[in-house]
Amino acid sequence: MSPAYPPNGLEPAVPHMSRRQVLSLLPAAGLLAAATPARAAAGIDHARLLANTVAIFAGTPDVNARPEVAGKLAAIVATAKQRLAAMDKAGDGELFAGLKLGTDDAKLQLAFQYLYEIALATRTPGGELDNDTAVQRRVVDGLLWLHERYYGDQSKGYYGNWYNWEIGISTQVSRTLVLLADRVREERPDLTATYIASMDAYLRNGKNGDVDLDSRFHTGANLADITANRILQGALTADDARVGKAISDQATVFATVDPYNLQHGVTDGYYRDGSFIQHHSVAYTGSYGRILLTRVVQTLKTLEGATSGGASDLAGVVYRWIADGFAPLIFEGWMMEIVKGRAVSRTTTGYADVGVIVEAIADLADHVEGADALALKKYVKFLPAADTATFASPVSVARYAAIRADSAVPAADLNPPERCMAYNAMDRTVHRRPGYAFALARSSDRISKYEYMNGENLMPWFQGDGAYYLYLAGEDQREVFGVDYYTAVSPYRLAGVTAPVEERRTVPELYGRFWYENPGHPLNFTSSSESQNTYVYFPRAGNAFSGGATLGAYGAAGMVQSDDAAYTAKQAGILPDDFVVYRNAGATKSWFMLDDEIVVLAAGVSGQGGREAVTTVDSRIAAPGDAVTLTGEGWGGRAWQASGTTPPRWLRYANGTRGTAVGYAFFTEQPVAAGLETVTRSRRVVRVSNPDTSVTKNVFTASITHPATGDVPALAYALVPNATETRLRGYANGPLAVLVNNRHVQAIRHKSLGIVAANVFADGPRHVEHLLIDGPASVIVKSGKRTVVALSDPTMKRERVSVVLHGAPLRLDSADEGVTVRPVPGGTLVQATTRHAYGRTFTATLR
């Protein structure tokens, strides 16, 4: 296996695997599609598959006897007793008290979930309800009751969210039938076949009651869920064809997405640079990505010893997902906000997200080999201790505890101490240093500006417009980010965002429901229509330029801020008259990520349409009782006053209670307004189903207003994590300089590092110090004993990108494939063939 971080430090080592290569790694998948029933039966041990599944969720006698698993067992039993008590108190039309059925699909799914939770306790060795036949009969009777009254009639079902009917209910039912297979066979022998027929009938986004790989609903994590259910269903009925096709269908999620050769038109999945996309254009590693990770690892465990082929190579693919897809996005046990979609508005994200990933990592360590297995175990010990009560499997709890207790396994991060990851396929960048991590969310005509859906993430409008998050080491991130950040901070003042001065309304406020309904329009707006996705749930931006280059652990990123697809379509007369759209502010932005600072440049800033705009340098939250101080210095050397009108040369925000600080160094005199205010809001302002819990926070905001007259079209500043006042004063005559900052070119120089970095947004050639760049590009040049040049095409549309280094001719030392170097009059030409590179960085070392 490749190391977790490649030797040149330039590109993540995610293997590029086609669907054909993936299928070749699963002999059972290829065999079963064409095998005779006899040969297929020889390839699958259905009893072993079912036993594996029971062991995953219920544990085994040996595992459950371990003291570290006692808490999980107690939780399983306690949950089951709670559900049984609700069953005892059920009223008319209820299976469980409080769950009124017939019109609410979410409540119907809960009813099936409750039955599963009861069934689980009756199969959990060592638990109080283990093998309680009376309780098992109640579950079986409950399944029959639900099917007869609320599930079996296909003409009355399938209201509400498609997910509940095609995935949610089927997951609970399939697992319950596995757990109680013997009881069902003895007492209701037709029940399994009856339910499978109904589950097939509800697979309405599929084809003939099966998966349809051409369906936009059957992709990524959703596909993994559906196929995992169908594997269990096939094992229950000894249906080799169902199991085989489900394995084959699920195997497609392991294939690396090639945007230039899409299979079934699917853009969902993992990309070469470690990006993960779900819903066709949403950066989603932290939500759907972790669901997919969990499900495929569970499938590996389910199939272990049950099929004629192995899947160790596929486990190796999943290892790369973790090393280059997940690990950079996890900071001290916290999943970063930039890859959660609408889930950012939920109350249980962040550390809880990572607990799910840790369980999968602990399990995967048994399926990979040698150095990879050891690296995963080290990472399990490196991450903060997980709450194992939330694990899905008692076996995983025991495995996790064994790894944590193993003194022969040292703790070690999967990330090197210094790392910069350009996830250009999903318009995200992560920059890590000891002491902090910086996460940036961009958008483009490829990637959505945000995700709203089902009353979640109600005010998401600017989350993909260069919003960034600066995580400081040693923090409890729940106190500075998570749901309370979005609750307390204005959606127009997210850190890094340039927003027009206007008030917007949420989707429920606009339309009186969670979506825009207009089935009579040619675009057929319904709750799950493609038009709803395109214009309401997760609209893309209009700009092509969004991306950047990395050179070792340094990075540059740029974006042209634009309107979303809905606004553009409304101007073109495509959308209905009552469909409300909002015009965005315009700006050209760059972020240059170094060691001690992140430099931010913005130019061409306009509120558009005669409006002002506001750029937020930072917004941070703290507890009301925290000792927060704000200090600064004006350009004349005097102390800066928050109530004054003198622009600051630098500011420092410090939380003395938490021992953290962030500095802001400004490179030109800019009308920065900064201050603190106490804000109290309910968590329901960001998500309808959140508890109506009031949150009070001390909110710090530093911002710059851009008048409608265009008087402040540009700005330049540095974010300085963990800054002292002494360090901030040093920026006045320090090694860092802004070379160019306009809407055509943005560039900086760091003399001590020997770095010149530039983003060119316009056609060339364009001069930056000793560089001549031929057009839209992101370029980093580091000089020293060797000169290293890194360049990329952030538009992802150019055939090639080139830069001329003026001065004495340089000779090629080494270069990535596709890079050529040759002398030209007055310097050296470095050219990279960027066609079909999808924003990848190309590097050449010269001497």
Side-chain angles (χ1 to χ4, degrees):
M1 281 294 161
S2 324
Y5 193 59
N8 63 12
L10 300 175
E11 284 294 328
V14 175
H16 180 74
M17 302 193 72
S18 68
R19 182 171 183 269
R20 181 180 302 234
Q21 289 170 316
V22 166
L23 290 177
S24 72
L25 298 177
L26 271 180
L31 168 67
L32 294 172
T36 65
R39 287 183 61 198
I44 299 177
D45 182 341
H46 298 289
R48 175 67 182 272
L49 196 156
L50 295 174
N52 286 348
T53 303
V54 173
I56 289 171
F57 297 108
T60 67
D62 289 344
V63 163
N64 293 4
R66 297 181 57 166
E68 56 267 34
V69 183
K72 178 63 181 176
L73 263 61
I76 290 173
V77 172
T79 299
K81 286 185 173 182
Q82 182 181 354
R83 306 310 184 208
L84 286 167
M87 185 179 274
D88 292 337
K89 297 175 183 177
D92 292 340
E94 294 180 338
L95 185 60
F96 297 93
L99 284 183
K100 294 292 184 182
L101 304 178
T103 59
D104 189 331
D105 54 308
K107 288 183 178 178
L108 181 59
Q109 179 180 321
L110 276 177
F112 283 110
Q113 177 186 319
Y114 292 172
L115 288 178
Y116 163 75
E117 289 167 340
I118 297 169
L120 177 63
T122 71
R123 292 301 311 277
T124 301
E128 186 179 333
L129 298 176
D130 183 20
N131 204 30
D132 189 321
T133 56
V135 172
Q136 288 181 347
R137 287 192 183 99
R138 294 189 71 180
V139 174
V140 174
D141 289 344
L143 286 173
L144 183 64
W145 189 88
L146 287 174
H147 193 277
E148 289 178 344
R149 298 188 180 212
Y150 298 105
Y151 187 70
D153 188 340
Q154 306 300 307
S155 64
K156 292 183 179 179
Y158 213 90
Y159 45 85
N161 192 333
W162 74 272
Y163 176 94
N164 290 329
W165 297 95
E166 300 203 21
I167 296 176
I169 291 172
S170 297
T171 298
Q172 307 301 334
V173 170
S174 300
R175 291 177 181 176
T176 303
L177 291 173
V178 170
L179 289 168
L180 302 186
D182 293 339
R183 185 67 51 210
V184 171
R185 192 178 300 112
E186 290 176 9
E187 303 192 7
R188 298 286 182 179
D190 296 331
L191 188 61
T192 296
T194 298
Y195 257 105
I196 289 177
S198 293
M199 288 187 282
D200 287 352
Y202 281 122
L203 208 61
R204 297 185 184 179
N205 288 302
K207 182 184 293 182
N208 299 323
D210 198 353
V211 166
D212 179 8
L213 294 178
D214 291 315
S215 170
R216 65 187 174 92
F217 296 87
H218 293 189
T219 64
N222 289 334
L223 176 62
D225 279 333
I226 294 168
T227 51
N229 292 338
R230 293 181 71 80
I231 288 171
L232 300 185
Q233 295 158 16
L236 282 165
T237 55
D239 186 340
D240 299 305
R242 180 181 289 255
V243 175
K245 185 176 184 298
I247 292 173
S248 178
D249 288 341
Q250 187 173 130
T252 64
V253 305
F254 292 89
T256 306
V257 177
D258 179 355
Y260 304 104
N261 184 27
L262 295 176
Q263 301 299 305
H264 305 281
V266 172
T267 56
D268 289 358
Y270 285 92
Y271 288 69
R272 178 174 176 171
D273 66 1
S275 298
F276 176 81
I277 290 173
Q278 185 79 27
H279 289 165
H280 313 293
S281 59
V282 179
Y284 236 147
T285 314
S287 187
Y288 275 94
R290 65 186 179 86
I291 293 170
L292 175 60
L293 174 68
T294 295
R295 198 65 67 239
V296 297
V297 171
Q298 286 178 350
T299 298
L300 291 174
K301 294 162 63 180
T302 299
L303 298 179
E304 188 173 14
T307 64
S308 58
S312 61
D313 289 322
L314 291 185
V317 173
V318 181
Y319 171 83
R320 299 301 341 154
W321 294 355
I322 293 168
D324 294 322
F326 284 94
L329 292 161
I330 298 171
F331 183 69
E332 296 187 342
W334 180 267
M335 175 58 70
M336 296 177 177
E337 271 66 22
I338 61 172
V339 288
K340 294 179 185 175
R342 68 185 189 271
V344 294
S345 63
R346 298 172 186 170
T347 57
T348 55
T349 64
Y351 296 120
D353 294 328
V354 176
V356 174
I357 297 166
V358 167
E359 180 176 7
I361 294 172
D363 289 334
L364 186 66
D366 277 1
H367 292 271
V368 295
E369 301 173 354
D372 289 350
L374 180 59
L376 291 178
K377 292 177 180 179
K378 289 179 178 179
Y379 190 49
V380 166
K381 292 193 73 172
F382 173 82
L383 292 171
D387 178 8
T388 57
T390 65
F391 281 19
S393 173
V395 177
S396 302
V397 173
R399 185 175 288 120
Y400 173 79
I403 293 172
R404 297 280 294 189
D406 190 347
S407 60
V409 176
D413 197 353
L414 275 174
N415 297 289
E418 300 180 348
R419 192 175 196 182
C420 191
M421 293 290 290
Y423 293 111
N424 287 328
M426 62 177 179
D427 282 349
R428 299 293 187 266
T429 306
V430 173
H431 185 67
R432 303 174 65 102
R433 288 295 186 273
Y436 76 90
F438 173 79
L440 171 67
R442 298 175 275 106
S443 56
S444 66
D445 55 9
R446 304 172 299 274
I447 297 299
S448 300
K449 281 180 170 284
Y450 56 80
E451 188 197 39
Y452 157 82
M453 195 185 294
N454 295 335
E456 294 190 291
N457 205 19
L458 291 165
M459 299 180 289
W461 308 298
F462 307 103
Q463 290 171 4
D465 279 339
Y468 51 65
Y469 306 82
L470 182 58
Y471 303 94
L472 303 178
E475 282 271 30
D476 180 345
Q477 302 300 337
R478 292 170 295 191
E479 299 297 323
V480 286
F481 290 112
V483 65
D484 289 349
Y485 175 76
Y486 296 101
T487 298
V489 174
S490 163
Y492 313 99
R493 297 293 182 270
L494 301 179
V497 160
T498 297
V501 176
E502 68 177 3
E503 291 293 323
R504 300 188 177 191
R505 289 186 292 165
T506 68
V507 169
E509 288 171 340
L510 288 171
Y511 308 119
R513 63 179 73 198
F514 289 164
W515 62 87
Y516 173 73
E517 183 79 7
N518 192 346
H521 187 269
L523 290 175
N524 183 34
F525 281 94
T526 60
S527 63
S528 59
S529 63
E530 289 192 63
S531 53
Q532 198 79 224
N533 294 347
T534 301
Y535 301 116
V536 181
Y537 290 159
F538 30 88
R540 302 183 192 192
N543 54 290
F545 195 112
S546 179
T550 57
L551 194 163
Y554 300 104
M559 184 187 78
V560 176
Q561 185 167 311
S562 68
D563 293 313
D564 67 14
Y567 181 84
T568 303
K570 187 69 177 283
Q571 307 319 299
I574 295 173
L575 298 180
D577 292 340
D578 65 339
F579 190 101
V580 179
V581 298
Y582 295 101
R583 189 179 188 182
N584 199 8
T588 298
K589 290 191 174 184
S590 291
W591 302 265
F592 299 103
M593 292 153 282
L594 307 171
D595 287 324
D596 299 324
E597 61 276 305
I598 298 96
V599 181
V600 184
L601 305 184
V605 181
S606 170
Q608 304 194 108
R611 302 172 302 177
E612 291 186 339
V614 176
T615 296
T616 302
V617 174
D618 205 359
S619 287
R620 304 191 74 82
I621 62 174
D626 284 1
V628 174
T629 57
L630 183 60
T631 57
E633 187 174 277
W635 284 80
R638 294 185 178 181
W640 172 85
Q641 300 293 329
S643 58
T645 58
T646 302
R649 187 165 204 150
W650 58 262
L651 295 173
R652 182 174 183 264
Y653 167 88
N655 187 324
T657 303
R658 310 194 69 84
T660 57
V662 181
Y664 312 92
F666 300 95
F667 295 103
T668 57
E669 291 193 45
Q670 296 157 178
V672 181
L676 303 165
E677 63 173 329
T678 300
V679 174
T680 300
R681 291 195 184 98
S682 169
R683 286 174 174 162
R684 279 195 183 159
V685 301
V686 295
R687 182 172 179 254
V688 171
S689 58
N690 277 347
D692 190 14
T693 303
S694 290
V695 172
T696 300
K697 292 291 182 180
N698 191 346
V699 180
F700 160 70
T701 305
S703 62
I704 298 168
T705 297
H706 308 272
T709 56
D711 295 343
V712 186
L715 55 91
Y717 60 90
L719 300 172
V720 188
N722 305 307
T724 63
E725 292 189 0
T726 300
R727 185 197 296 176
L728 291 168
R729 290 190 183 95
Y731 281 92
N733 298 296
L736 187 57
V738 175
L739 301 176
V740 190
N741 185 19
N742 57 53
R743 62 187 180 89
H744 303 300
V745 182
Q746 294 176 331
I748 62 143
R749 178 185 64 235
H750 196 293
K751 187 175 181 180
S752 299
L753 295 176
I755 284 178
V756 172
N759 288 319
V760 174
F761 300 90
D763 291 339
R766 300 284 171 169
H767 286 274
V768 175
E769 203 182 52
H770 66 297
L771 308 179
L772 181 65
I773 303 169
D774 75 335
S778 185
V779 178
I780 308 173
V781 177
K782 191 174 191 305
S783 302
K785 293 182 179 179
R786 295 284 190 274
T787 297
V788 185
V789 181
L791 62 168
S792 73
D793 167 26
T795 71
M796 303 191 187
K797 297 181 178 180
R798 303 190 64 193
E799 293 289 318
R800 61 190 59 84
V801 169
S802 63
V803 58
V804 174
L805 283 69
H806 289 301
L810 300 172
R811 291 183 295 168
L812 177 63
D813 191 19
S814 62
D816 292 340
E817 183 179 356
V819 178
T820 59
V821 176
R822 62 183 176 87
V824 294
T828 306
L829 172 67
V830 180
Q831 188 172 79
T833 301
T834 53
R835 182 176 184 272
H836 287 187
Y838 218 60
R840 189 168 77 251
T841 297
F842 293 84
T843 304
T845 300
L846 314 174
R847 55 187 172 87

